[in-house]
Amino acid sequence: MPTLVGRQVGPTGYGLMGLTWRDPATPEEQAIEALRAALQTGMNLWNGGEFYGTPERNSLTLLERYFARYPGDAERVLLCVKGGLNTSTRGADGSPENTRRSIDACIALLKGRKKIDLFECARRDPDVPLRTTLEVIDKEWYTGKIGGISLSEVRAETIHEAVKITKICAVEVELSLFSTEILSNGVADACAQYDIPLVAYSPVGRGMLTGQIKCAADVKPHMARYPRFQGANLEVNLRLAAGVEALAARKGVTPAQLAIAWTRRLATWRRGAPGTIIPIPGATTAPRVRENGTLVEIADEEMRELDEMLGGLRLRRSNAGKSRRRIQIEPGRGKIEDV
């Protein structure tokens, strides 16, 4: 079992964004059922955000109501929360004042029902020295307000800089068959160098394996801005999705289960990979949560087959420098702008 901040967690975690940050909104009872299913399936690393939704309904408000109903579950869950956005500009703000505000606001929304085990700023603020931001969070850790510090959407150089300032307990980045940049841009290597667990969001490729996307017309408007859903990239990714679906069918598992297993298996398959990779797929229904949480073993020959699929495709990536983008949050959606 993987270990984070001295606690064991399941090999697959749970990303909470879709429970409160989507249109139409996930009904609260359905969201609570999904949370309950995640814990029952062993997915006890939960990853939410202060800005995942509106001030009235977001990850923290949902979790407060969940733990009010199931107080005994609080000790079973390891909770990671993203914050660090300015409430006025809705951009990354790593100033001491806003960093403290964000941590205090997240704690207040939980109303004492659950401690924040890991806190991370959603993006690095390019206008504030990293040391300034991390020293504030480190003090909050030292005083016991939070249980540890993680990083989100950072470049390799930020990891190298951060470990000289404080202990980094995890790094959260996107990793899937459709987004492998961190395997070649130094991020995975840096995590391996410092033995930092890597938390992989969107391990099923932002819907590429749902079977609902067969052409450009099937791409939802809010996803169309991602390069993987555009032009030639989409054509190539659809071919990859078809290959994954065929392998999954032969194996007797779902495409999502195979993709999640591939992400997790990279820890022992790829030379120099971090020793711990925890995928955190999101899902808004209990059946889909249970599907994602079902552990699937993936054999060496299957990993080689997937490697060949990836090697035979020439994807035009344009996500380089993602960690230096500013995330701006509007009610119900997020917008990323270059800085």
Side-chain angles (χ1 to χ4, degrees):
M1 298 278 282
T3 300
L4 286 177
V5 289
R7 293 177 54 187
Q8 286 191 334
V9 295
T12 302
Y14 186 31
L16 309 185
M17 185 174 72
L19 296 179
T20 55
W21 198 17
R22 63 180 300 166
D23 189 17
T26 303
E28 183 168 304
E29 282 303 312
Q30 178 180 318
I32 288 178
E33 289 175 5
L35 288 165
R36 190 71 166 161
L39 199 52
Q40 292 170 344
T41 313
M43 303 163 72
N44 66 325
L45 169 61
W46 291 3
N47 185 284
E50 178 188 14
F51 53 89
Y52 282 177
T54 65
E56 298 75 26
R57 188 169 190 268
N58 53 62
S59 296
L60 286 309
T61 62
L62 173 64
L63 289 171
E64 186 276 326
R65 288 192 284 273
Y66 175 87
F67 290 121
R69 185 180 302 187
Y70 301 109
D73 287 354
E75 291 302 315
R76 300 172 60 195
V77 171
L78 194 150
L79 177 61
C80 177
V81 175
K82 293 185 193 66
L85 298 184
N86 186 292
T87 55
S88 298
T89 66
R90 301 189 183 277
D93 182 351
S95 66
E97 297 78 13
N98 187 67
T99 302
R100 282 191 289 267
R101 178 213 61 77
S102 181
I103 293 173
D104 287 343
C106 291
I107 292 172
L109 287 172
L110 288 169
K111 298 181 180 179
R113 301 194 190 281
K114 171 68 183 138
K115 181 175 180 176
I116 295 173
D117 298 293
L118 286 171
F119 181 85
E120 61 190 36
C121 289
R123 298 291 189 278
R124 178 176 182 173
D125 184 347
D127 300 322
V128 176
L130 183 65
R131 178 175 291 275
T132 298
T133 303
L134 288 182
E135 285 183 345
V136 171
I137 306 174
D138 190 60
K139 183 177 180 180
E140 304 289 63
W141 183 6
Y142 179 78
T143 59
K145 280 190 174 181
I146 60 173
I149 301 172
S150 52
L151 301 176
S152 170
E153 292 283 38
V154 292
R155 291 181 172 183
E157 53 262 37
T158 296
I159 300 173
H160 291 299
E161 183 180 353
V163 297
K164 298 175 183 177
I165 301 169
T166 186
K167 178 176 175 57
I168 301 301
C169 302
V171 172
E172 181 190 350
V173 286
E174 183 171 5
L175 175 61
S176 74
L177 285 160
F178 303 90
S179 181
T180 60
E181 292 87 351
I182 68 153
L183 301 179
S184 58
N185 66 9
V187 168
D189 295 325
C191 289
Q193 179 178 342
Y194 303 114
D195 194 24
I196 301 173
L198 192 152
V199 177
Y201 76 82
S202 295
V204 295
R206 300 180 186 265
M208 285 299 304
L209 294 174
T210 61
Q212 298 176 358
I213 301 175
K214 300 299 183 184
C215 63
D218 298 329
V219 178
K220 295 180 179 180
H222 72 281
M223 302 301 293
R225 63 189 172 92
Y226 292 101
R228 79 186 62 171
F229 295 107
Q230 299 171 3
N233 283 344
L234 178 60
E235 295 178 10
V236 174
N237 278 318
L238 287 173
R239 289 199 294 273
L240 175 57
V244 173
E245 291 167 359
L247 177 56
R250 296 201 310 269
K251 189 174 175 62
V253 301
T254 69
Q257 289 170 341
L258 181 64
I260 293 167
W262 175 87
T263 303
R264 192 169 48 242
R265 179 67 199 283
L266 285 174
T268 57
W269 179 255
R270 179 184 178 272
R271 180 176 298 177
T276 299
I277 298 177
I278 306 172
I280 52 168
T284 61
T285 65
R288 184 57 60 86
V289 168
R290 295 188 185 97
E291 173 190 336
N292 290 343
T294 300
L295 290 182
V296 170
E297 298 296 327
I298 185 165
D300 288 356
E301 58 268 24
E302 293 164 337
M303 289 295 289
R304 281 190 285 269
E305 184 173 346
L306 290 166
D307 282 349
E308 291 173 3
M309 290 183 200
L310 290 170
L313 303 174
R314 296 295 178 262
L315 295 162
R316 293 201 302 261
R317 303 289 191 186
S318 58
N319 289 328
K322 187 161 52 174
S323 65
R324 292 190 62 82
R325 295 180 175 185
R326 186 183 303 279
I327 182 168
Q328 292 188 310
I329 306 302
E330 301 169 0
R333 66 176 61 193
K335 183 171 75 172
I336 295 177
E337 295 181 347
D338 290 323
V339 297

